[in-house]
Amino acid sequence: MAGKKQFDVGVALDAAMVQFWRAGYADTSLDDLSRTTGLNRSSIYSSFGDKDSLYLRCLDRYAARYGNRYDQALSCASEEPLQAVRAFFEVTLQRIADPDVPDGCLIAQTAMAAPVLSPTIAARAVEALGSQQARLRSTLNAAQLAERDADDFAVHLTAVNQSLAVMSRTGASQKQLRTVIDVSMSALARALHARSC
């Protein structure tokens, strides 16, 4: 039918997202996007706008997909805060181990490239990191950790989570990544124990 898109927008966005994730914004050309999505340039422009607009849609899709998984992992925070935070990190480890997606994290990759990206894209990465920190802060507040400690641990755990993504891109093993998590979990366990004494 005339005027009707003849492709699945979600599939095309996933393909573009993986391309950006694998190569980065700067090293992804419109030809790369055309090849990976199966769309010609005019279809990309008419459906998604320019490269910046497409990248923003991919960032939003990525943040929503993994954000939902993080929310689900943290859902038992008030009853089992340590288990919830451990499950949060498992989401990251599962993503890192998934052979169908690139190593690392699209948000972390975007944040590291922020100085050479448009202010809008850089702001969206900062917003996504802020959302992750807010999720963790809510979890720690639900565990009745002191507000200052909850804030400090939210910052720390967000940084640890992003470092796992960066380390995975340099070939760190699952054992090494789990060691990083275990050190943070031990510190959190001590803080939660001190709160209950």
Side-chain angles (χ1 to χ4, degrees):
M1 290 176 60
K4 184 176 179 183
K5 286 184 173 62
Q6 300 297 311
F7 65 92
D8 185 313
V9 172
V11 170
L13 279 173
D14 281 344
M17 179 177 71
V18 168
Q19 175 59 40
F20 281 129
W21 189 353
R22 181 171 285 118
Y25 177 88
D27 291 331
T28 295
S29 68
L30 280 173
D31 287 339
D32 294 329
L33 292 168
S34 181
R35 187 181 65 257
T36 59
T37 62
L39 303 175
N40 61 37
R41 284 173 175 243
S42 65
S43 291
I44 291 173
Y45 281 118
S46 66
S47 300
F48 304 111
D50 62 8
K51 184 178 168 184
D52 276 16
S53 298
L54 176 56
Y55 193 78
L56 288 169
R57 295 261 313 257
C58 291
L59 273 179
D60 289 345
R61 188 169 181 85
Y62 180 94
R65 176 174 296 158
Y66 291 105
N68 289 338
R69 293 177 190 176
Y70 287 132
D71 286 340
Q72 186 177 8
L74 295 170
S75 63
C76 68
S78 57
E79 301 86 27
E80 297 287 344
L82 286 173
Q83 182 180 326
V85 174
R86 176 84 59 188
F88 169 88
F89 284 125
E90 285 300 323
V91 171
T92 300
L93 292 176
Q94 287 168 11
R95 186 192 67 231
I96 289 169
D98 185 347
D100 294 330
V101 297
D103 287 334
C105 166
L106 183 61
I107 303 298
Q109 182 177 315
T110 304
M112 289 186 293
V116 296
L117 298 174
S118 76
T120 304
I121 292 175
R124 192 69 56 88
V126 169
E127 181 184 321
L129 289 171
S131 294
Q132 189 171 100
Q133 192 171 317
R135 273 186 190 94
L136 287 161
R137 187 180 308 108
S138 294
T139 296
L140 298 169
N141 286 336
Q144 300 181 344
L145 201 59
E147 190 165 334
R148 180 184 171 99
D149 289 342
D151 288 343
D152 290 347
F153 268 104
V155 170
H156 172 78
L157 296 173
T158 300
V160 169
N161 199 47
Q162 297 309 309
S163 74
L164 297 174
V166 174
M167 290 174 67
S168 76
R169 285 190 77 112
T170 62
S173 69
Q174 282 277 320
K175 182 179 178 186
Q176 290 171 316
L177 299 178
R178 287 187 182 280
T179 297
V180 171
I181 293 168
D182 288 344
V183 170
S184 294
M185 294 302 299
S186 293
L188 179 58
R190 285 192 300 276
L192 288 169
H193 178 71
R195 169 225 49 168
S196 63
C197 291

